Amino acid sequence: FAQSRESTTHQPAPPRLRIARGFSTLAMFESIMFNPTTNPSRRERKARDLSVSDAPAPVAGELCEIDSSLVLAGDIGGTNSRFRLFEVPNDAVVEGQNVPGTLVFEKIYPNEEFDSFESIVRTFFHETGVEDCKPAAACLAVAGPVDRNTVEFTNRDGWRICGEELAKSLSMGPVRLINDFVAAGYGLLTLDEDTETITLQDVPERPTRTGEPIACIGAGTGLGEVFLTACSNGVYEAWPTEGGHAEFAARNDLTYELQKFLKKKFNEKNRVSVERVVSGIGLANVYSFLRQAQCDAEGQPAAAGSQLMDKVVKEVDEEILNAGDQAGGAVAKNTGRCELCALAVDIMFSTYGAEAGVAALKWIPKGGLYIAGGIAPKNKGYLVEEGNAFMEAYYDKGRLSKVVKDIPVRLVLSEDIGQRGAQLVATRLLLDQLQNVAQPCISTTEAAKAMLAAQACSALPPAPAPARAPCCPRLGGINERR
């Protein structure tokens, strides 16, 4: 769906959504309920928009059919904002890896073309044709730490997103912000493991047990790590970490020299993050070290004055030095032409595997350790070939090597799990609202109609919202590992 702004064709909302526009989502009820201090003309205008009058409230079923709602899933990076809008049946359930919903519209926007994030969302709503029928729930996966449903972008001056403020300003349903790799964690729950993963280590002799921890590590622009735990009802929740910024540990003399090089480069006295090695930028860092390090032909530190500059391929070197943020990709694609590029990739994947083993020890994810991100699926040979550096480093855990050998390890082939995770969270949020307002003796749809009609035609203040369910409600279904 990676379309440019210019190439995307306007797609109006489906006819059913246009019929129900203005009152098709339960999340919008509070915004259209009447306040006793509201002037009569405003009440009359709202009643007219809702196709009802100030006459006695109609019984449930007399209003237009209300059978679906909209949810918004977003992936917000420093460079682009990606949105997908889904129509979800109000009686849907989330079960297994299937997330209910029909894609209505999707588009990518370059952030640099907008003054604020809110203006991007408004543009998306306008182009989608749902300005009068806003999403009932939204989840935005953002590239940065989320604190109290708020994120501030370090690479976009003045950009700050607060979920509550955005929902209020745009008159839409609740907006939840999650870290982009937390979204990837939720996205794991949507995978078809037969077609979207490759098993790197299976544990067939161990019986499957629902509800065991799951973990994921993924290298791309940076290095993300996330883990998931299940509540008593089987619903998995993903938890943020900054594991990619844990210390990089040298495993031999060469990587010890690399560590010293990186500390000097980044002006660090005692340590550097493992992300400085295991990421696209990290791969470029390793190449920079090798091209000027004192090494012998086997890649081991050698006597002073001995250099590998004769192994530098001039054309490749110039390409890498001029590639900017894409230098890591330039290193990876030139492994067949340049010995230093090949060695750099080997070092990165060995460190990647060692960090995956660390994740396995930290969380003991008997439900599965997943290798995601943009780098691994594009270079899967470094993980699946026999005797590869990644798995060798993964197993190399001394006295606890046996522990990591008892954990299923899978390579994720799909690169859109972040957006799929955001869709799952938004859908859960919607179905949670529907569940909380549903009345026990009538269907969710009937409850919605009755509530809307009563509030639209009454001058009484709305009843207080029901209390939220306790921690980890069913949220319309569960995401179990099957």
Side-chain angles (χ1 to χ4, degrees):
F1 80 100
Q3 308 171 64
S4 66
R5 295 187 66 205
E6 293 76 18
S7 64
T8 302
T9 303
H10 173 67
Q11 302 177 13
R16 179 168 51 168
L17 289 177
R18 291 200 298 271
I19 293 173
R21 176 162 294 156
F23 56 95
S24 66
T25 63
L26 287 177
M28 291 298 296
F29 283 177
E30 291 188 2
S31 68
I32 60 176
M33 292 176 184
F34 294 121
N35 187 297
T37 60
T38 307
N39 61 67
S41 62
R42 181 179 176 88
R43 278 202 303 274
E44 292 169 1
R45 183 167 63 253
K46 283 185 176 288
R48 182 172 64 252
D49 292 343
L50 294 171
S51 301
V52 297
S53 67
D54 287 333
V59 297
E62 290 184 1
L63 291 178
C64 173
E65 192 70 25
I66 304 173
D67 57 1
S68 63
S69 302
L70 296 177
V71 298
L72 174 66
D75 181 6
I76 317 303
T79 304
N80 297 307
S81 293
R82 300 169 172 83
F83 297 103
R84 288 178 176 176
L85 188 69
F86 295 87
E87 180 187 6
V88 179
N90 288 340
D91 59 354
V93 295
V94 179
E95 194 167 17
Q97 77 267 22
N98 299 314
V99 182
T102 302
L103 181 64
V104 175
F105 191 79
E106 61 182 346
K107 193 163 183 180
I108 303 175
Y109 298 91
N111 293 339
E112 64 183 2
E113 297 184 9
F114 297 86
D115 295 331
S116 67
F117 177 73
E118 182 178 321
S119 65
I120 302 180
V121 183
R122 289 186 182 277
T123 300
F124 179 76
F125 285 165
H126 175 72
E127 295 182 357
T128 306
V130 296
E131 293 171 290
D132 299 325
C133 182
K134 303 291 178 59
C139 177
L140 304 178
V142 295
V146 177
D147 182 24
R148 299 176 184 176
N149 210 30
T150 301
V151 65
E152 295 186 8
F153 286 83
T154 56
N155 55 354
R156 302 295 305 175
D157 291 340
W159 275 40
R160 173 181 174 274
I161 305 175
C162 173
E164 286 75 14
E165 293 175 3
L166 187 67
K168 182 177 180 181
S169 178
L170 296 176
S171 300
M172 60 184 292
V175 177
R176 181 180 174 188
L177 306 184
I178 59 176
N179 174 265
D180 53 358
F181 211 72
V182 171
Y186 282 110
L188 297 177
L189 304 174
T190 72
L191 288 173
D192 180 343
E193 295 191 351
D194 292 335
T195 61
E196 296 183 292
T197 69
I198 295 176
T199 298
L200 304 181
Q201 174 173 268
D202 199 5
V203 190
E205 66 275 9
R206 193 178 65 79
T208 302
R209 290 169 54 192
T210 301
E212 293 184 299
I214 299 169
C216 181
I217 175 172
T221 303
L223 177 63
E225 298 185 16
V226 65
F227 69 100
L228 296 85
T229 59
C231 298
S232 58
N233 57 5
V235 175
Y236 273 92
E237 297 292 345
W239 304 99
T241 82
E242 291 295 341
H245 295 281
E247 281 77 4
F248 162 56
R251 302 180 61 247
N252 52 40
D253 291 342
L254 180 59
T255 51
Y256 176 67
E257 294 298 323
L258 171 61
Q259 186 183 56
K260 291 197 297 184
F261 169 84
L262 294 174
K263 285 194 291 185
K264 182 177 180 180
K265 178 176 181 178
F266 295 106
N267 196 29
E268 295 284 355
K269 181 178 179 181
N270 298 313
R271 46 88 69 195
V272 289
S273 299
V274 66
E275 185 182 70
R276 300 291 196 187
V277 177
V278 185
S279 64
I281 296 174
L283 182 55
N285 289 336
V286 178
Y287 176 84
S288 296
F289 158 69
L290 292 175
R291 74 184 295 274
Q292 59 185 284
Q294 296 178 347
C295 300
D296 63 20
E298 283 71 42
Q300 299 299 321
S306 173
Q307 301 233 356
L308 275 179
M309 290 306 295
D310 61 326
K311 296 185 179 296
V312 173
V313 178
K314 184 178 179 180
E315 296 81 5
V316 172
D317 193 57
E318 290 178 352
E319 178 184 352
I320 294 170
L321 296 179
N322 294 325
D325 291 343
Q326 303 303 314
V331 173
K333 79 174 187 178
N334 283 294
T335 54
R337 297 178 58 196
C338 174
E339 192 172 332
L340 291 189
C341 290
L343 181 56
V345 172
D346 284 341
I347 291 173
M348 190 209 69
F349 271 102
S350 177
T351 308
Y352 197 172
E355 181 61 19
V358 170
L361 291 178
K362 285 189 292 188
W363 295 306
I364 311 189
K366 296 297 183 69
L369 173 63
Y370 293 80
I371 314 302
I375 291 178
K378 294 184 179 72
N379 301 275
K380 55 180 178 288
Y382 288 92
L383 293 89
V384 301
E385 293 176 358
E386 187 175 351
N388 66 80
F390 180 94
M391 292 305 295
E392 284 188 354
Y394 170 83
Y395 292 132
D396 187 14
K397 287 295 174 277
R399 294 169 295 171
L400 293 181
S401 294
K402 184 178 180 180
V403 173
V404 300
K405 290 180 179 179
D406 194 39
I407 293 172
V409 182
R410 299 182 178 92
L411 168 62
V412 178
L413 301 177
S414 301
E415 296 186 46
D416 67 341
I417 58 172
Q419 281 193 296
R420 287 159 62 170
Q423 179 196 354
L424 171 62
V425 173
T427 304
R428 282 184 174 185
L429 188 59
L430 166 69
L431 299 180
D432 187 22
Q433 295 176 85
L434 293 170
Q435 185 183 56
N436 285 342
V437 301
Q439 298 180 20
C441 296
I442 59 176
S443 69
T444 299
T445 298
E446 291 172 337
K449 295 174 187 174
M451 182 178 177
L452 176 62
Q455 295 293 352
C457 300
S458 172
L460 296 176
R468 290 184 60 84
C471 175
C472 298
R474 184 161 293 276
L475 300 171
I478 62 176
N479 291 95
E480 295 179 341
R481 312 309 295 166
R482 298 181 183 273

